[in-house]
Amino acid sequence: MANRLVEGSHLSTKRTLDELGTPRTTFSRWYDRYLSGGPEALKDRSPWPSRVWNRIPVPVREKIKDKTTRPNELWQTGFTYLKVIGWGWFYLSSILDDYSRYVIAWKLCTTMRAEDVTDTLDLALQASGCNQATVVHKPSLLSDNGASYISGELADWLEDQQ
């Protein structure tokens, strides 16, 4: 045990712990645990908390659809920031089908406006055929709720697209 190494060492406590690569605060915590609970108190404990503060309550969780069951049920959309040295920032707007994990459409943009989102969505609707086929439910969108995704302009466009 570390406490026996420290107590039996001819070096100072600090130097012994430095040689062992153990911070003093860690050793003190271990030593206090050992004194209060013996060797049993030093056993490995689960790194996971027993209670998660942000867990969704079970009744709410049961109402949430976890997994998609078909293509074009849910599309994930977002921007990826790309810095090009000497040119500046570019933004990759993409639409990914949640079920197939296939990138349906993408567009390299110089801004992250709602217009960039609608342009990418138009490309996705064309590529998927959802703009031509009679579809009972068009794909739902999942985004990070950035400014371009919560804008009135995008809301109007989505309403026009039904």
Side-chain angles (χ1 to χ4, degrees):
M1 296 190 95
N3 66 329
R4 290 192 188 130
L5 285 172
V6 172
E7 290 171 349
S9 175
H10 65 284
L11 302 172
S12 68
T13 300
K14 180 187 179 328
R15 184 137 180 236
T16 303
L17 292 173
D18 288 345
E19 292 290 324
L20 292 171
T22 304
R24 282 191 288 178
T25 54
T26 301
F27 175 75
S28 295
R29 190 173 60 248
W30 288 346
Y31 195 60
D32 289 344
R33 269 206 223 144
Y34 176 75
L35 291 176
S36 65
E40 195 67 27
L42 297 174
K43 285 190 174 178
D44 283 341
R45 294 189 273 173
S46 171
W48 305 109
S50 59
R51 184 170 168 258
V52 179
W53 67 271
N54 63 347
R55 178 164 286 142
I56 299 171
V58 173
V60 175
R61 180 118 182 104
E62 289 172 351
K63 293 178 184 177
I64 298 172
K65 182 180 242 184
D66 280 343
K67 294 187 179 188
T68 51
T69 57
R70 61 180 168 72
N72 299 321
E73 185 176 356
L74 175 69
W75 288 351
Q76 296 180 27
T77 180
F79 283 100
T80 302
Y81 296 53
L82 305 165
K83 181 163 186 164
V84 179
I85 305 299
W87 287 84
W89 287 96
F90 289 89
Y91 310 96
L92 179 65
S93 173
S94 60
I95 309 287
L96 177 121
D97 179 62
D98 188 72
Y99 181 78
S100 66
R101 312 306 291 168
Y102 179 78
V103 175
I104 300 169
W106 60 270
K107 179 184 175 199
L108 192 59
C109 311
T110 55
T111 63
M112 291 190 299
R113 297 185 325 237
E115 180 183 346
D116 297 314
V117 175
T118 58
D119 289 348
T120 312
L121 285 168
D122 276 331
L123 292 170
L125 287 169
Q126 290 170 6
S128 67
C130 288
N131 64 336
Q132 297 172 348
T134 303
V135 180
V136 177
H137 297 288
K138 288 199 176 176
S140 297
L141 290 178
L142 176 65
S143 75
D144 64 359
N145 291 335
S148 57
Y149 294 105
I150 59 172
S151 70
E153 184 183 337
L154 179 60
D156 292 342
W157 184 89
L158 290 170
E159 189 175 316
D160 290 344
Q161 298 297 313
Q162 301 173 351

